[in-house]
Amino acid sequence: MNRDLRKTIIAGNWKMNKTPAKSKLLIDEIIPLCSGGGCEVVLCVPFTSLATAVDAVKSTDIKIGAQNVHFEASGAYTGEISAAMLKEVGAGYVIIGHSERRQYFGETDETVNKRTKAALSAGIIPIVCVGEHLWEREADITEEVVSKQIKLAFAGIDAAGAAKTVVAYEPVWAIGTGKTATSEQAQDACKLIRDRLAALYGKDTADSITIQYGGSMNAANAAELLAKEDVDGGLIGGASLKSEDFGVIIKAAMI
Ligand code: PGA
């Protein structure tokens, strides 16, 4: 983390968990754990829980996010949700290009780019996910894979847009597996992403962008990961559904 240069952001990715009523119960447990400041807390809940979640956090600093957004403004896209719809319901953030969407729902670097632009035009902060598969790491092409994902995700986005974007480095092999990247691996990848952003937008813009680590971040390993200079927060799946664990991670980010 480097709070002088950029925001520290701890985001929970609830994935396909929690009905609206259950979301409210979990948020009520999380609210008291966020006092103290020093980091932004974001809860990325299912679409159906957005309105409940926005209402539940209205007197707090917690922000609510979605987990996907369609890139078109409106029209015949049955089942899809636009950025304007998210904005009106009160979502401040949206996760884009999560590896589960790339793996199961045909997300590509091109659609990640289109969704990122749609979120930015609606005034929603995109959390753009990138990361390599295990076989890519083993073949020693992590740098190429992540650099390509960054370049394509940000294609056609200017420095002002980039400065409003959050990046999450999520090695696919670490997501939901209990296998966390070492703090050195996380730092190296987050630094690589910052260098790529600096090549595209200059050092000042790159230094201002929050780059999170995601992939089995938990109460036991968060402090060590967050101590790294270029790891500016976390995108947390499993541990964000357990208020006690999520609270420990938030505290680690506030130090
Ligand atoms: P995990 O998920 O913390 O359960 O590994 C992270 C993510 O998918 O964003």
Side-chain angles (χ1 to χ4, degrees):
M1 298 183 284
N2 186 334
R3 271 208 204 85
D4 294 338
L5 293 176
R6 48 198 173 251
K7 219 181 226 185
T8 301
I9 304 175
I10 296 294
N13 173 10
W14 288 11
K15 310 194 180 187
M16 196 174 71
N17 293 291
K18 305 289 174 189
T19 62
K22 289 191 172 144
S23 298
K24 165 89 175 104
L25 292 176
L26 181 54
I27 291 170
D28 286 345
E29 286 175 24
I30 291 171
I31 288 172
L33 308 173
C34 300
S35 59
C39 86
E40 177 129 304
V41 178
V42 183
L43 305 176
C44 296
V45 304
F47 287 134
T48 46
S49 289
L50 283 170
T52 304
V54 167
D55 185 60
V57 302
K58 65 177 181 287
S59 53
T60 76
D61 291 329
I62 298 172
K63 301 288 189 298
I64 298 301
Q67 300 169 14
N68 187 27
V69 61
H70 193 57
F71 40 81
E72 295 295 343
S74 64
Y77 302 101
T78 303
E80 293 299 319
I81 304 283
S82 74
M85 292 170 186
L86 294 181
K87 182 72 180 173
E88 190 169 321
V89 84
Y93 285 80
V94 60
I95 298 171
I96 293 176
H98 189 279
S99 67
E100 286 151 16
R101 296 221 56 91
R102 293 179 190 255
Q103 185 176 348
Y104 305 127
F105 303 103
E107 188 80 79
T108 64
D109 289 325
E110 188 190 2
T111 54
V112 167
N113 175 246
K114 288 162 106 176
R115 291 181 212 280
T116 303
K117 287 174 175 162
L120 287 170
S121 353
I124 297 175
I125 299 171
I127 301 177
V128 175
C129 300
V130 297
E132 80 288 358
H133 289 269
L134 186 56
W135 66 268
E136 291 167 326
R137 178 163 283 271
E138 286 173 349
D140 203 19
I141 57 167
T142 299
E143 194 170 327
E144 287 92 323
V145 170
V146 173
S147 300
K148 180 172 170 233
Q149 288 173 328
I150 289 290
K151 196 160 188 186
L152 294 176
F154 283 88
I157 294 172
D158 63 11
K164 292 191 192 99
T165 302
V166 172
V167 177
Y169 167 64
E170 297 210 310
V172 182
W173 48 271
I175 295 176
T177 57
K179 253 185 167 183
T180 317
T182 64
S183 53
E184 287 75 24
Q185 286 171 327
Q187 165 60 24
D188 287 351
C190 290
K191 172 80 168 69
L192 162 74
I193 291 167
R194 201 174 308 288
D195 289 346
R196 296 290 91 225
L197 292 169
L200 292 170
Y201 300 110
K203 186 173 183 307
D204 287 355
T205 300
D207 277 345
S208 74
I209 295 175
T210 298
I211 303 177
Q212 302 173 313
Y213 168 79
S216 300
M217 189 186 263
N218 59 39
N221 60 30
E224 190 187 333
L225 288 158
L226 295 167
K228 294 293 180 187
E229 165 81 13
D230 289 287
V231 179
D232 307 314
L235 182 56
I236 297 122
S240 74
L241 294 167
K242 297 177 214 130
S243 55
E244 208 177 299
D245 291 3
F246 196 52
V248 173
I249 298 170
I250 292 166
K251 287 283 165 300
M254 284 175 174
I255 290 165

